[in-house]
Amino acid sequence: MVPSTAEQRPLSQMRRGAIEYCVLALLRSEPRYGYDLARSLAAADGLVTSEGTVYPLLARLRKDGLVATSWSESPQGPPRKYYKLTDEGRRALGVFIGQWRGFRDSVDHLLDGGGPE
Amino acid sequence: MNSDNLDAIVAKYFRNLEKALQPLPAPERQQLMSDIRGHVAEARAGLNEQTELAVREILERVGLPDEIAAEAIGDEAPQVRSRLHHLRRTRPLPSRKSVVRVGVPVAVLVVLAAVLASVLPSSPPAIELVASSATGATYSVPASSYSVLVTTTKPCFVDIKAPPSDAEFAYAGVVKASAHPSWFPEHGTISVTIEALVSSVGISAGGRSLGTIDHPKLAFTYIFRPST
């Protein structure tokens, strides 16, 4: 059954808050090129609606100074634009991870029937 | 189907994408077009066999042009974007002569205004709290067009809805830590939610501050409504 618009809204809003940090997390260990990033994100259920929608997000992360880009030759096909985490991006990711874990634990606690502590 | 026909399918897709991205300023539109062209070229280079079905599958995975445009334009706060784009298109940069011709009288007027301001009693307009609840507060703003200034000492998530009842965000993103505020030009009634405890939200119009809310509450909805 296809979820209704109202049912999709919470996922859409959570996605908006988390997606850019998912990209930063993918870049944590090594630089990756756009096609590779887009395929990885599209493969994760519910994160992006299509591979193409990753590029506006990457452009914004670059504009915000959270990622930097460089070009490299490819063994097949056209040259690749690689994205890597900047120091600022690494800091932003660290802050988000702490916030996310606290948020997730609080929501889990309430959804599991717990009251305020 | 031969290679020319497959290229024609791809070319048609990119014509539609470029059309959908028209609201974006040209440099950003060209950047996105280039990135997505690279993506399709990379995907095609990895095919064992160039068939119509394989190429159409690649384009389907890339997504509908309108879907990509919605993400790109939504990312950039549509009202801000369209306003900036409009200004860029309709107001070319002034020449040096016109800057001098306009600049001198303006400088004189500024000096006169400063002198008058120091002599005449004045009560500058300011935002006013008109209602509050456990989940939000409403302020009246003495201007229909104004800027929201967000200052934060650590990256914080900001949601701006215009109008507040809109299910889609006008802006939803992270504001960077900086001593300088991030500006969001707005018009009409909007709502602002700040997901951080250490920041301030200011309202300004015409280059003048209309008020500042220090340390806005976490996940609290601030509504700004023009009184004019």
Side-chain angles (χ1 to χ4, degrees), chain B residues 69-82:
Chain B
E71 190 72 28
I73 296 164
D75 272 355
E76 300 293 335
Q79 324 88 312
V80 176
R81 210 24 98 199
S82 64

Side-chain angles (χ1 to χ4, degrees), chain B residues 32 59 127 208 213:
Chain B
L32 270 180
L59 297 178
I127 57 171
R208 292 178 61 173
I213 300 164

Side-chain angles (χ1 to χ4, degrees), chain A residues 21 51-52 55 63 80-81, chain B residues 31 39 42 62 76 174:
Chain A
Y21 297 99
E51 293 170 10
Y55 290 95
K63 199 169 85 177
R80 290 168 171 167
K81 188 196 265 188
Chain B
Q31 184 60 65
H39 182 99
E42 177 92 35
V62 172
E76 300 293 335
V174 174

Side-chain angles (χ1 to χ4, degrees), chain A residues 14-27:
Chain A
M14 284 188 287
R15 188 189 72 83
R16 280 177 181 275
I19 181 70
E20 58 192 67
Y21 297 99
C22 294
V23 175
L24 298 183
L26 285 173
L27 296 171

Side-chain angles (χ1 to χ4, degrees), chain B residues 180-212:
Chain B
H180 304 290
S182 295
W183 290 65
F184 300 91
E186 299 295 343
H187 183 85
T189 303
I190 64 159
S191 71
V192 179
T193 309
I194 310 286
E195 299 289 351
L197 291 172
V198 284
S199 57
S200 70
V201 175
I203 299 292
S204 79
R208 292 178 61 173
S209 171
L210 301 181
T212 301

Side-chain angles (χ1 to χ4, degrees), chain A residues 54-91:
Chain A
V54 173
Y55 290 95
L57 172 66
L58 288 169
R60 194 178 68 190
L61 290 173
R62 190 170 75 151
K63 199 169 85 177
D64 290 346
L66 302 179
V67 301
T69 58
S70 60
W71 287 92
S72 183
E73 288 298 331
S74 159
Q76 61 166 27
R80 290 168 171 167
K81 188 196 265 188
Y82 276 81
Y83 295 81
K84 74 169 188 178
L85 212 53
T86 62
D87 290 344
E88 196 174 350
R90 201 170 290 281
R91 272 196 299 276

